[in-house]
Amino acid sequence: MPPQADRPRLHQLCEELLSHRNLIIASNRGPIDYRLNEAGKLQGRRGSGGVVTALSAISQYMDITWVASAMGEGDRRAAEMAQWRRFKAPIPGHNLYIRFVVSSGSTYYKYYSVFCNPLLWFLQHCMWNSSHTPNIDARVRDAWENGYKFVNRAIAEAVINEASESELPPLLMLHDYHLYLAAGYIREQIPNAIIQHFTHIPWPGPHYWQLLTRDMCQAICGGLCASDIVGLQTERDVHNFLHTCEVFVEGAEVDYKGRTILINDHHVKVKAYPISVDVANLRKQVRSPLLKEYEDKIRPFFGEKTIVRVDRLEPSKNIVRGFRSFDILLERYPDLQGKVNFLAFLVPSRTRIKQYRRYAEEVNDSIEAINTKYGNDNWQPIKAFYENNYTQALAALRLYDVLLVNPVVDGMNLVAKEGPTVNTCDGVLVLSEAAGACEQLRENALPVTPCDLEGTMEAIYRALSMSPEERSQRAAALKKSVEEEDITLWLYRQLSDVNALALERLR
Ligand code: G6P
């Protein structure tokens, strides 16, 4: 179903909802990130991710209130200036309101830097070394009680407060692993709310969740089951979620075929909505003069052939193993030395968390070792750009011969969809089988097992030596596949299901 055809329908759907509903979105990170500049003035920067683009796009047709955590000093100042109420986002033509929830520094630290990221993120990306980690000690229990539960309750209260205006049951869309408990708290206060929760990251099976305490698993699954619709990225995640609830939610009747869970007369629908990119918006962005400037800036770093990767600097992205495979490639095929360059665009992320700092060091060490081993005055095999510069990354995605996306495991991975959409060189996608995107793109990418260094090296070699005809045919097929299922469809599917439920409730 082409996204172009969906656009008018999405518009119509929003208008249908708009005539009588209030749409409230909640996520940890808000759609605009506020910073204080050197002069102490507040500056808002719009989030660049597909979710922000897609959801703020529908605020052209309907009022949307977005409840989010104040993540830094800038967000806190913006919240204070709005007297802790919602305020209109400075996006012309959009009715998007933001309400920041402010928690104390220590509460937020427990929530974000002890529970959400080192624990839940690591669990759901299967990144633990279970003979040593995790260790659920008093510090983690405290973070659960006084960080995770606390922030979830605070976000839920803000949502409840925003929803109190609407006469009809409000429509609520909650996002990700930061907010697993919010639906439960909201349901207690607004029994007839229509709640959808979407998890962006992978959902492992119950044997992995068992590494967490039973009360935590019960609360997480129970909290999610207070929603009407639980959305996940892939069919594999849906199956794992159903199985996890069967194990941890007392009295849950799980219907694997119908993908529903029944608990005390409450039906939960569990469904895969694979997220995608905003193709139209990406095409607009790549035409910008700024992007052309970046293309000129980075072009000198390209070789005869160039491998590119774009990632948050994040352990699950498997950056070091990617470099190891490149190392093996240069060793095995010495004639490639001096000809093939590897450019890594790495966005610093979660730098307050020690596992992330340690991983950033490993990445840096690995680059230095490879550059020392093969580099000379005229050629350095790897060049890394450590910055949050989306336009520059897009410029690189225009020009790659090979795009390496090899996460250990990933909910979807939007780089795997952005790359083929904007690339102009018939570049080849080497893609981890453990990325959600592989469910859709496998046929025309070169799939690899993320821990298989030899296999990844061979896939890169195959990509570098592929005939122009095969490259072109694969690149065109990837582009078409992403175009046909872009973010408009992701949103349309979810809003249709939410709308259908709202109409059903009126009957
Ligand atoms: C992933 C998560 C998002 C998160 C993003 C950036 O994509 O699914 O919920 O916002 O990473 O992480 P951060 O911790 O910087 O918000």
Side-chain angles (χ1 to χ4, degrees):
M1 206 187 312
Q4 286 77 2
D6 278 328
R7 243 163 259 273
R9 288 201 287 154
L10 185 64
H11 183 158
Q12 197 184 353
L13 188 61
C14 291
E15 283 189 338
E16 248 175 67
L17 288 166
L18 172 69
S19 54
H20 46 269
R21 301 283 175 166
N22 199 348
L23 178 64
I24 302 173
I25 293 164
S27 63
N28 177 53
R29 187 174 281 281
I32 297 185
D33 176 18
Y34 286 89
R35 300 269 161 105
L36 292 165
N37 68 13
E38 278 167 16
K41 235 183 128 228
L42 209 54
Q43 280 181 330
R45 192 162 94 162
R46 203 167 155 187
S48 57
V51 178
V52 171
T53 315
L55 291 170
S56 37
I58 58 171
S59 67
Q60 294 172 91
Y61 319 124
M62 63 193 298
D63 270 19
I64 293 183
T65 304
W66 196 315
V67 176
S69 293
M71 289 186 71
E73 200 35 49
D75 290 354
R76 278 193 278 275
R77 186 72 65 82
E80 193 186 335
M81 281 168 65
Q83 298 191 316
W84 296 277
R85 296 206 193 94
R86 72 172 199 168
F87 60 94
K88 196 159 187 288
I91 312 175
H94 292 246
N95 291 325
L96 177 65
Y97 296 84
I98 300 176
R99 174 161 173 172
F100 279 126
V101 173
V102 182
S103 313
S104 75
S106 114
T107 303
Y108 196 75
Y109 183 85
K110 290 174 188 179
Y111 158 81
Y112 183 83
S113 299
V114 180
F115 203 83
C116 286
N117 291 310
L119 207 74
L120 280 180
W121 179 277
F122 270 59
L123 174 120
Q124 293 192 239
H125 288 86
C126 304
M127 282 182 348
W128 280 336
N129 172 4
S130 60
S131 50
H132 297 97
T133 53
N135 293 291
I136 302 171
D137 53 12
R139 179 170 172 267
V140 173
R141 283 194 174 275
D142 174 53
W144 163 248
E145 290 298 332
N146 303 313
Y148 195 73
K149 284 189 181 174
F150 191 94
V151 175
N152 268 261
R153 204 179 283 277
I155 296 260
E157 272 162 17
V159 169
I160 292 163
N161 185 271
E162 291 299 333
S164 63
E165 303 277 296
S166 71
E167 280 172 29
L168 285 167
L171 306 179
L172 314 177
M173 296 174 98
L174 314 178
H175 284 269
D176 232 351
Y177 60 104
H178 312 89
L179 299 180
Y180 286 150
L181 307 182
Y185 298 142
I186 295 167
R187 182 70 72 205
E188 282 168 16
Q189 300 296 320
I190 320 179
N192 64 358
I194 292 162
I195 311 179
Q196 195 247 25
H197 186 287
F198 183 78
T199 301
H200 293 248
I201 65 175
W203 192 279
H207 56 286
Y208 215 74
W209 283 95
Q210 258 154 9
L211 293 172
L212 220 57
T213 68
R214 192 160 187 88
D215 65 308
M216 289 173 187
C217 292
Q218 281 169 335
I220 287 170
C221 294
L224 281 169
C225 286
S227 316
D228 297 288
I229 304 174
V230 171
L232 296 137
Q233 297 277 24
T234 63
E235 288 301 332
R236 180 174 53 191
D237 297 322
V238 166
H239 178 84
N240 284 343
F241 181 76
L242 292 169
H243 193 190
T244 313
C245 288
E246 192 168 46
V247 172
F248 290 110
V249 183
E250 222 163 284
E253 287 175 39
V254 174
D255 173 357
Y256 284 93
K257 222 165 152 218
R259 294 181 170 74
T260 57
I261 305 175
L262 177 66
I263 314 153
N264 303 328
D265 291 338
H266 175 68
H267 271 99
V268 191
K269 183 170 168 169
V270 186
K271 195 167 168 181
Y273 302 96
I275 199 168
S276 191
V277 292
D278 185 337
V279 171
N281 195 45
L282 276 172
R283 293 214 173 114
K284 202 166 111 201
Q285 278 180 281
V286 295
R287 287 197 299 269
S288 81
L290 183 63
L291 188 124
K292 293 276 166 292
E293 277 175 35
Y294 278 116
E295 271 189 24
D296 294 341
K297 181 191 147 197
I298 60 176
R299 215 183 285 272
F301 298 103
F302 279 66
E304 265 178 42
K305 289 270 171 72
T306 305
I307 307 164
V308 166
R309 76 174 306 138
V310 176
D311 285 297
R312 273 187 311 107
L313 220 177
E314 148 75 55
S316 67
K317 302 296 180 184
N318 210 15
I319 301 164
V320 174
R321 282 203 191 86
F323 291 146
R324 282 200 196 135
S325 299
F326 183 53
D327 183 1
I328 304 172
L329 179 85
L330 295 178
E331 208 169 74
R332 203 69 52 83
Y333 301 97
D335 54 317
L336 294 183
Q337 292 175 25
K339 293 184 185 149
V340 179
N341 290 12
F342 195 144
L343 303 187
F345 295 83
L346 305 173
V347 180
S349 180
R350 304 177 188 163
T351 47
R352 289 186 72 190
I353 302 170
K354 73 170 182 300
Q355 288 91 329
Y356 283 74
R357 287 198 301 273
R358 222 183 279 148
Y359 192 70
E361 281 167 22
E362 274 179 53
V363 167
N364 202 37
D365 291 348
S366 156
I367 295 174
E368 275 182 17
I370 294 172
N371 281 347
T372 310
K373 185 169 168 190
Y374 301 100
N376 54 42
D377 289 348
N378 303 320
W379 182 68
Q380 290 288 291
I382 305 179
K383 163 84 182 149
F385 297 78
Y386 295 104
E387 53 191 302
N388 185 1
N389 186 337
Y390 187 61
T391 314
Q392 177 172 268
L394 277 183
L397 290 178
R398 297 274 282 172
L399 303 174
Y400 66 80
D401 294 293
V402 180
L403 177 63
L404 179 61
V405 181
N406 65 326
V408 182
V409 55
D410 212 334
M412 180 54 58
N413 196 300
L414 291 181
V415 175
K417 295 188 174 182
E418 283 162 337
T421 305
V422 302
N423 185 262
T424 55
C425 304
D426 288 342
V428 184
L429 173 64
V430 175
L431 178 59
S432 163
E433 287 184 318
C438 205
E439 247 179 38
Q440 184 189 344
L441 305 179
R442 148 182 304 278
E443 208 184 316
N444 292 296
L446 300 185
V448 291
T449 308
C451 299
D452 180 5
L453 302 182
E454 282 287 326
T456 305
M457 179 278 290
E458 277 160 15
I460 297 175
Y461 184 72
R462 186 172 160 211
L464 289 169
S465 39
M466 193 177 274
S467 73
E469 294 72 34
E470 187 178 352
R471 280 177 64 142
S472 150
Q473 173 264 317
R474 283 177 183 267
L478 285 173
K479 218 178 267 267
K480 184 161 175 280
S481 172
V482 178
E483 242 169 51
E484 284 177 356
E485 294 202 11
D486 99 332
I487 193 133
T488 317
L489 187 60
W490 175 75
L491 198 55
Y492 180 79
R493 280 177 176 150
Q494 290 177 83
L495 283 176
S496 311
D497 288 348
V498 165
N499 195 32
L501 203 67
L503 294 175
E504 210 175 280
R505 290 273 168 85
L506 284 178
R507 271 185 232 128

